[in-house]
Amino acid sequence: MTRGGIFPDMVDERALEEELGEIGRRLAAAMPVTRNPLKAIDEKAMDLASQDAELKAALFRFVDVVPACRSLEDLARHLTGFLGEVEQPTAPIGVAMKMGNTRAGRAALGAASAAGVRRMAHRFIVGEDPKAALGVLRDLWKDGVASSVDLLGEATVTAAEAQRYADRCANALDTIVAAAARWPERPQLERDSAGPLPRANLSVKVSALTPLLRPDAPERGKRDAADRLRPLLRRANELGAHLHIDMESMDSRDAVLELILDLLSEDEFRSGPSAGMVLQAYLRDSPQTLDTILEWLGRVERAHPLTVRLVKGAYWDHEIVEARQHGWDAPVFEVKADCDLNFEHLTRRLLDARPAVRVAVASHNLRSVSHAIAYNRLSGGQDGDLELQVLRGLGDPLQTALARQDLRVRTYCPVGDLVAGMAYLVRRLLENTSNESFLHEQARGAALDELLARPVASTPA
Ligand SMILES: Cc1cc2nc3c(=O)[nH]c(=O)nc-3n(C[C@H](O)[C@H](O)[C@H](O)COP(=O)(O)OP(=O)(O)OC[C@H]3O[C@@H](n4cnc5c(N)ncnc54)[C@H](O)[C@@H]3O)c2cc1C
């Protein structure tokens, strides 16, 4: 079934770079120029954070307590507490800290930050609940863009919270499937050469499905998560929806991988639903993880190909800090170009492994995306057999450009309330303020040729 392994000589590298350059230039030209003044304000906030390492560190610590905050005033109190650790605060931070000193000030700060956060949140979060998100999902679909809904509310602490998240997921499936039945036909989003593609697509996080997911006792966490994941798989199967399981930090990676492969091998789930998982290219051992997935695909027959969403990984800073704290070697690449090259390497292996896998390349990096499209074409694939994925709010111009080029694009759409959305927002903010981020480079006006250039490995292969 698979073409197997990577064959660097399968495509001519020079022809590939030429094709990739053409694709990248065409996509760049098709990106709309956004002149929304509110976006410029958010970008100022991002600039501020990118220049200040201490501010960034304070924001990281803030993210950790966000799930425990119950109100905006609570959020404001924690935020000012963390900002108080910044030794030389810039003027706006100084003002925020002073406001945090009194109850009235905290309430005012809460309200002011609520207004700012709400505005910013609308860029990244499509609605407070799935029903409120339906308008955006339908508009995207009409514009030739599929979606995957993600219910915000990361790690859970109690069984009751985990069950509430599972119930919200089940309701979201019902709501989206019912609404999607009324969407107009979009053949390019609804079928590839392996068969029909569900219109409704939900992404779930295992850490939200169990409070017991701990690296020292993975079996307990897996069992508990499986008890809540099975009914969701069942529901998705009945409704003909796609269920995608996100990947989180390294301490849960093995448990999540095993959980997905075990559940999808169960007899009940051989016939469906359409399901998928995530491969993180920033992990040094991701090629071995792909070996495990391919080996599994070779022995487990399912009615639907497994969708593999290839990402670089959203927890890079967390993995680096965690490894330093314990004196371990970082599980992630530490040179950005090495991560980017591994992403390309895995893109090729995944595309070579079709039709057992459906490949979804999730990136806002024009080089990474153009590479996937070019490799697919030069190795004989159809455009319709490659899915490109972006995050709502970060990948909007790329999303539009991909849809305009008749490429299959899916936008990951977070849904939830503001407090639950804060951790997500701050993580996106930090990701974008990294000097090595593609979007940061693009925003500072780097030349297109530079953005599309082949990454150079830190140590020659
Ligand atoms: C649709 C979608 C779904 C996603 N789902 C998940 C998910 O389930 N799990 C998950 O973890 N992430 C997920 N992500 C997030 C994704 O991992 C980040 O958006 C992505 O890392 C940013 O990569 P990029 O290619 O867009 O940008 P780029 O700017 O090219 O890459 C930035 C990334 O490079 C890596 N990096 C940064 N600095 C270094 C360095 N010094 N050395 C090595 N590597 C470095 C980090 O991973 C960083 O995020 C998803 C993204 C999308 C678009």
Side-chain angles (χ1 to χ4, degrees):
M1 254 221 293
T2 68
R3 277 188 260 156
I6 48 163
F7 299 107
D9 54 350
M10 242 182 80
V11 299
D12 174 46
E13 291 297 322
R14 266 198 33 208
L16 180 87
E17 289 296 326
E18 271 170 31
E19 176 76 9
L20 181 164
E22 273 294 302
I23 294 166
R25 280 185 286 279
R26 251 182 272 130
L27 285 174
M31 284 188 200
V33 182
T34 43
R35 285 260 175 270
N36 181 342
L38 292 180
K39 284 194 179 169
I41 296 172
D42 294 343
E43 266 138 35
K44 279 220 176 72
M46 292 192 180
D47 260 4
L48 187 68
S50 69
Q51 287 155 18
D52 192 329
E54 279 185 57
L55 172 58
K56 253 180 139 169
L59 286 173
F60 269 120
R61 286 194 292 280
F62 173 61
V63 176
D64 287 340
V65 304
V66 164
C69 293
R70 294 282 165 250
S71 67
L72 286 170
E73 197 200 302
D74 207 17
L75 264 182
R77 186 170 32 241
H78 279 98
L79 181 58
T80 51
F82 286 111
L83 293 180
E85 295 168 16
V86 178
E87 266 177 26
Q88 288 178 320
T90 52
I93 297 175
V95 172
M97 282 157 52
K98 278 206 193 90
M99 290 174 81
N101 286 338
T102 63
R103 192 176 149 73
R106 274 199 303 278
L109 179 63
S113 47
V117 169
R118 193 164 286 131
R119 197 201 54 242
M120 192 153 166
H122 281 303
R123 184 175 159 186
F124 297 98
I125 300 173
V126 296
E128 296 221 338
D129 56 46
K131 218 164 156 203
L134 290 177
V136 174
L137 302 184
R138 189 195 51 230
D139 289 348
L140 283 171
W141 181 265
K142 281 189 176 159
D143 289 343
V145 179
S147 55
S148 184
V149 166
D150 157 54
L151 298 179
L152 289 165
E154 311 202 0
T156 51
V157 191
T158 63
E161 273 174 358
Q163 193 50 50
R164 250 195 317 277
Y165 175 78
D167 293 343
R168 283 169 62 215
C169 287
N171 290 336
L173 282 172
D174 292 345
T175 307
I176 304 163
V177 168
R182 298 188 294 272
W183 294 347
E185 272 183 31
R186 288 288 178 274
Q188 169 197 348
L189 303 179
E190 303 194 57
R191 164 167 289 280
D192 66 4
S193 57
L197 294 160
R199 290 181 170 193
N201 184 310
L202 183 73
S203 289
V204 300
K205 287 202 169 48
V206 175
S207 67
L209 283 173
T210 173
L212 303 177
L213 200 65
R214 276 197 287 273
D216 50 347
E219 290 307 320
R220 251 178 99 210
K222 268 165 52 186
R223 265 199 312 276
D224 195 50
D227 288 345
R228 296 198 184 83
L229 204 45
R230 274 193 201 94
L232 286 177
L233 286 165
R234 220 164 272 147
R235 184 80 143 247
N237 199 17
E238 283 157 16
L239 295 167
H242 175 90
L243 198 72
H244 211 93
I245 291 112
D246 286 356
M247 200 54 96
E248 302 173 67
S249 53
M250 187 59 188
D251 46 18
S252 62
R253 197 274 313 266
D254 290 343
V256 171
L257 176 69
E258 287 164 22
L259 174 70
I260 299 169
L261 300 184
D262 287 354
L263 281 182
L264 295 182
S265 319
E266 290 180 4
D267 284 345
E268 178 183 1
F269 300 121
R270 296 281 183 107
S271 59
S274 164
M277 56 177 301
V278 174
L279 180 64
Q280 293 162 313
Y282 66 3
L283 293 176
R284 292 176 193 276
D285 70 357
S286 48
Q288 288 78 43
T289 304
L290 182 52
D291 290 343
T292 305
I293 297 169
L294 295 181
E295 184 275 323
W296 179 88
L297 283 167
R299 87 190 135 74
V300 176
E301 287 268 338
R302 289 192 80 244
H304 300 264
L306 178 76
T307 303
V308 180
R309 178 200 297 153
L310 179 65
V311 303
K312 284 172 195 155
Y315 305 84
W316 188 84
D317 300 77
H318 167 89
E319 302 297 0
I320 292 280
V321 170
E322 179 110 333
R324 290 212 177 120
Q325 269 172 0
H326 292 89
W328 297 331
D329 286 340
V332 292
F333 289 104
E334 293 185 56
V335 174
K336 172 73 164 54
D338 293 345
C339 170
D340 289 352
L341 281 172
N342 189 44
F343 189 89
E344 294 188 4
H345 174 92
L346 296 173
T347 299
R348 295 179 183 206
R349 288 187 63 196
L350 282 166
L351 287 169
D352 288 346
R354 282 172 312 168
V357 282
R358 278 188 160 134
V359 187
V361 169
S363 169
H364 309 118
N365 183 320
L366 200 55
R367 157 90 203 181
S368 308
V369 172
S370 306
H371 168 269
I373 301 167
Y375 183 83
N376 183 40
R377 286 182 185 165
L378 294 194
S379 60
Q382 306 283 318
D383 277 354
D385 285 340
L386 168 66
E387 182 162 296
L388 290 319
Q389 296 192 350
V390 299
L391 297 177
R392 169 81 173 173
L394 284 184
D396 301 355
L398 179 59
Q399 162 208 288
T400 304
L402 290 166
R404 283 180 181 165
Q405 305 277 311
D406 290 328
L407 292 155
R408 178 146 59 85
V409 56
R410 183 179 306 278
T411 295
Y412 185 94
C413 293
V415 165
D417 68 34
L418 273 182
V419 174
M422 277 301 290
Y424 179 83
L425 274 182
V426 176
R427 201 169 283 130
R428 296 289 82 81
L429 173 76
L430 292 168
E431 203 171 71
N432 273 289
T433 54
S434 155
N435 287 331
E436 295 191 275
S437 131
F438 178 88
L439 290 176
H440 191 271
E441 283 292 291
Q442 196 179 32
R444 79 163 175 84
L448 192 53
D449 283 349
E450 211 181 301
L451 295 173
L452 291 173
R454 187 169 201 279
V456 179
S458 60
T459 45

